[in-house]
Amino acid sequence: MPATTERAVRNSPIAVFDSGVGGLTVLHELLVSLPSEDFLYLGDTARFPYGDKSQEQLRRFSLEIADHLLDAGAKLLVVACGSATAAALPLLEERLKGTGVDVLGVIAPAAQLAVEATASGRIGVLATPATVSSGAYAHAIAASDPHVRLESVSCPDLAPIIQSGFPFDERVVETVRRYTAPLRAAEVDTVILGSTHYPLIAPMLQRMLGRGVHLVTSGEGVVRSVERALGARGLLNERDGEGDYRFHCTGDVDAFRTLGTRFLQMPLGVIEQIALTPARAAA
């Protein structure tokens, strides 16, 4: 590959996508850890939530988004959504094979961190119904350590509650308390926040689970995976200074900006509303 082409690819953005704004918690970690990189984030807010969608729908949505982000010049795809990762990651890996573009999910990195963190061998996961029913976390945990016991809790309304923009009233507190009860009963010492929305309620979860329970979010593990993937291909951006970040969403731009600012904990700059098209046939 000519040097100018290699440089152009290194300067291309890392693409991150989620059903809504939850994946911005992953983007935040990437922006902090890889400040010289450019990023393009896509939130499929028009079709949020993903947690109650079928596996077939999630695979179709993910392929449509992947095509859009590849057309936008992404050098790496991060599926910052547990439901989409569980349903579509193998399909996306197959679709991108031979393109030179890697695709990474949030489940395996979080599972690995949880296995490393647990002392008792009892891990809990809070996730959407689609993620829990897929068994993706159970498979990932077993692959890391078959002796670890996993307690999975399906939380059908938690991501929509968080995405709706608060406030956290007593109803929300009772909902979270109900979901954490099985984890306390199982005496887990580590809990995976299996939706990228859940870090926004980490203080509430920590209070209910206890100070001794370690909370694992996807962002930290994803950063490691992104660094390794780009480093292996020689695609880390070598610029001095900060890169750029921009946003695409399929729903209302103003709503995305209002809630997204809270999730990202940084200002949102350019946001473009886009329409996704049916996925292209595999080559």
Side-chain angles (χ1 to χ4, degrees):
M1 184 186 297
T4 53
T5 304
E6 288 183 359
R7 190 178 307 112
V9 175
R10 284 198 300 271
N11 292 339
S12 297
I14 298 168
V16 181
F17 77 85
D18 180 40
S19 59
V21 297
L24 293 172
T25 60
V26 174
L27 179 62
H28 174 84
E29 295 296 327
L30 290 166
L31 286 168
V32 170
S33 299
L34 298 168
S36 63
E37 297 288 348
D38 290 341
F39 293 91
L40 170 59
Y41 181 95
L42 189 150
D44 191 10
T45 46
R47 298 188 290 201
F48 177 86
Y50 276 13
D52 61 358
K53 303 296 190 296
S54 70
Q55 299 292 291
E56 182 178 346
Q57 286 177 305
L58 294 174
R59 287 191 283 269
R60 176 166 56 85
F61 295 171
S62 297
L63 287 174
E64 291 172 356
I65 292 170
D67 284 349
H68 175 82
L69 295 173
L70 289 174
D71 288 344
K75 65 179 179 182
L76 177 75
L77 263 59
V78 176
V79 187
C81 172
S83 299
T85 297
L89 187 61
L91 181 62
L92 291 172
E93 290 172 337
E94 182 64 27
R95 175 65 71 90
L96 271 63
K97 187 181 296 183
T99 65
V101 177
D102 290 317
V103 56
L104 305 173
V106 292
I107 290 177
Q112 182 62 43
L113 287 178
V115 168
E116 293 172 1
T118 184
S120 68
R122 293 189 295 272
I123 295 174
V125 61
L126 299 166
T128 67
T131 301
V132 171
S133 65
S134 74
Y137 271 107
H139 294 312
I141 293 288
S144 295
D145 187 338
H147 304 294
V148 168
R149 173 185 167 189
L150 181 67
E151 180 74 22
S152 299
V153 179
S154 177
C155 310
D157 52 357
L158 196 50
I161 286 172
I162 298 169
Q163 175 100 357
S164 68
F166 314 91
F168 287 155
D169 55 21
E170 193 58 35
R171 180 182 62 89
V172 176
V173 173
E174 286 303 317
T175 299
V176 176
R177 185 173 288 122
R178 185 174 72 252
Y179 290 141
T180 55
L183 302 181
R184 293 196 305 273
E187 297 183 333
V188 301
D189 70 351
T190 303
V191 173
I192 300 169
L193 306 188
S195 166
T196 50
H197 283 72
Y198 298 170
L200 265 289
I201 59 166
M204 189 185 302
L205 290 167
Q206 195 75 71
R207 174 179 170 82
M208 293 177 183
L209 290 166
R211 293 178 61 186
V213 175
H214 180 73
L215 300 183
V216 173
T217 63
S218 301
E220 181 183 351
V222 167
V223 166
R224 293 187 192 177
S225 297
V226 168
E227 288 176 322
R228 286 194 295 263
L230 293 180
R233 292 189 182 273
L235 294 180
L236 288 165
N237 198 310
E238 298 175 344
R239 73 154 61 93
D240 294 324
E242 297 175 3
D244 189 23
Y245 58 94
R246 56 197 175 93
F247 305 90
H248 289 174
C249 68
T250 57
D252 182 74
V253 168
D254 291 336
F256 184 92
R257 184 183 301 279
T258 299
L259 189 56
T261 301
R262 179 171 292 185
F263 274 72
L264 189 62
Q265 302 175 50
M266 295 173 65
L268 272 63
V270 176
I271 305 174
E272 179 183 350
Q273 186 179 41
I274 56 99
L276 295 168
T277 57
R280 297 188 289 267

